[in-house]
C-alpha cells in the first residue's frame, strides 16, 4: 500500500492549529504548552476564526517563538541526598 504524502504547502499560507495539534507538531504534550501559556508572558496570542470558540495559532509563527525562547533545564533530583 503506498504511503500517503501531504500535499506541498503554498508559500505564505498560514497553517492554523489548536493546542492539541500544535503540541503534536512540536513533539510535546498539550499540558506542557498550557503551562507555558499560563507562565510565559511572551507566549503568542491565540486567534479565533469567526464563529469559533477554539483558540488557534499559526504553526510557523509559533515555531519562531518556541525555538527562540530561553530554555531552562529542570533541577536534577537524582543527585540530591535522600534524608
Amino acid at each position: 500500500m503506498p504511503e500517503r504524502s501531504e500535499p506541498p504547502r503554498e508559500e505564505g499560507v498560514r497553517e492554523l492549529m489548536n493546542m492539541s495539534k500544535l503540541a503534536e507538531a512540536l513533539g510535546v504534550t498539550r499540558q506542557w504548552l498550557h503551562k507555558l501559556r499560563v507562565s510565559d508572558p511572551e507566549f503568542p496570542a491565540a486567534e479565533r476564526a469567526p464563529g469559533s470558540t477554539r483558540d488557534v495559532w499559526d504553526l510557523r509563527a509559533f515555531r519562531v517563538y518556541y525555538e527562540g525562547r530561553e530554555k531552562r533545564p529542570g533541577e536534577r533530583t537524582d543527585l540530591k541526598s535522600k534524608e
Side-chain angles (χ1 to χ4, degrees), residues 36-44 65:
L36 278 179
R37 184 180 188 184
V38 171
S39 64
D40 187 354
E42 298 295 318
F43 195 90
Y65 154 76

Side-chain angles (χ1 to χ4, degrees), residues 23-71:
E24 184 180 324
L26 296 172
V28 298
T29 64
R30 181 184 51 78
Q31 292 84 350
W32 169 243
L33 285 184
H34 178 71
K35 182 178 178 181
L36 278 179
R37 184 180 188 184
V38 171
S39 64
D40 187 354
E42 298 295 318
F43 195 90
E47 302 175 33
R48 286 194 182 163
S52 177
T53 59
R54 230 174 203 199
D55 290 339
V56 292
W57 291 265
D58 176 41
L59 179 60
R60 181 176 293 143
F62 196 86
R63 280 191 193 276
V64 170
Y65 154 76
Y66 191 74
E67 292 168 1
R69 68 186 181 79
E70 180 184 347
K71 294 163 186 69

